[in-house]
Amino acid sequence: MKNIVVLVSGGGTNLQALLDAEGRGEMPHVDLTLVVSNNEKAYALKRAQEAGVEGVFIKNDGDFETRLTELLAERGIDMIILAGFMRILSADFIKDFEGRIINIHPSLIPSFCGKGFYGLRVHEAALARGVKLTGATVHIVTAEADAGPILMQKAVEVLEGDTPEILQKRVMREAEWVMLPRAAELLAAQL
Ligand code: GAR
């Protein structure tokens, strides 16, 4: 079983999907022991607390990675899941966890990804371009944003009348919440 931290910044619905999957016994190699947020007000911290998992807020300043590195070493963390984490990690930090960090991105990479594409903006861009299919991707994190090896992808239909919010919800429900626990288990079982 791998000792895993989930990094979050906001609502934490992907964190919730992970906690629920763990509760159902669907991730036998995954032990979610820690949640770290760079946003004090993130609802994700509440979700962690309700699930009985330690939640820590680390101020989103220049010392963020130093504090995070210390905390992960203290807790003996093996693997990192980025679940709606809105900060780009440095190449140095990533090197220490090479091949052991995954991220969920709300598009079919290589579309609508990289710098500036996060959260609702991704769905706004997909609708503006008029794509008929979008989806989500789980990938290994490397120094270049959203460019690491792809672990899993799932396509989701864009429907007439979609707003960014409606599309975001469908992508989460049909792709992200299903795929992230599976991808986490897949990598944890391999490490
Ligand atoms: C999710 O859609 C996730 O894929 C996206 O932010 C949302 C977070 O929601 N992540 C990114 O855009 C990263 N580039 P959540 O806090 O409810 O899980």
Side-chain angles (χ1 to χ4, degrees):
M1 188 126 63
K2 293 292 175 290
N3 188 7
I4 294 176
V5 63
V6 185
L7 304 192
V8 295
S9 300
T13 64
N14 279 288
L15 168 67
Q16 192 65 56
L18 289 164
L19 293 166
D20 293 348
E22 186 179 40
R24 292 192 300 266
E26 290 170 8
M27 302 188 297
H29 295 86
V30 170
D31 189 9
L32 301 171
T33 60
L34 181 64
V35 171
V36 174
S37 175
N38 62 343
N39 168 14
E40 198 168 13
K41 298 201 179 95
Y43 188 69
L45 284 173
K46 193 118 195 263
R47 295 180 190 272
Q49 191 185 18
E50 271 162 23
V53 174
E54 185 188 11
V56 176
F57 160 64
I58 300 180
K59 211 169 151 206
N60 196 34
D61 60 15
D63 295 330
F64 176 85
E65 283 192 359
T66 309
R67 294 212 194 84
L68 180 63
T69 301
E70 279 167 16
L71 180 64
L72 301 192
E74 257 172 42
R75 300 290 191 278
I77 293 295
D78 305 306
M79 177 180 145
I80 301 173
I81 301 174
L82 309 185
F85 182 63
M86 304 301 178
R87 179 184 169 117
I88 306 268
L89 293 166
S90 73
D92 277 349
F93 180 89
I94 292 166
K95 191 144 42 87
D96 287 346
F97 279 91
E98 206 177 338
R100 295 186 290 144
I101 311 177
I102 58 172
N103 176 49
I104 180 115
H105 183 79
S107 77
L108 292 174
I109 288 175
S111 291
F112 313 117
C113 65
K115 210 164 178 269
F117 286 103
Y118 57 87
L120 212 52
R121 289 177 184 219
V122 176
H123 305 291
E124 285 165 0
L127 289 176
R129 183 62 185 82
V131 295
K132 303 300 176 203
L133 269 183
T134 183
T137 302
V138 179
H139 65 92
I140 303 274
V141 173
T142 56
E144 197 185 334
D146 297 330
I150 291 170
L151 272 182
M152 270 185 207
Q153 286 187 306
K154 199 163 190 299
V156 174
E157 256 188 296
V158 179
L159 301 179
E160 198 143 329
D162 272 353
T163 61
E165 290 80 5
I166 291 172
L167 183 58
Q168 179 183 51
K169 236 338 172 356
R170 187 178 314 113
V171 169
M172 284 176 157
R173 202 178 49 239
E174 294 183 10
E176 298 187 45
W177 301 339
V178 183
M179 205 167 40
L180 187 57
R182 289 186 191 157
E185 171 60 19
L186 184 79
L187 182 63
Q190 278 172 21
L191 289 180

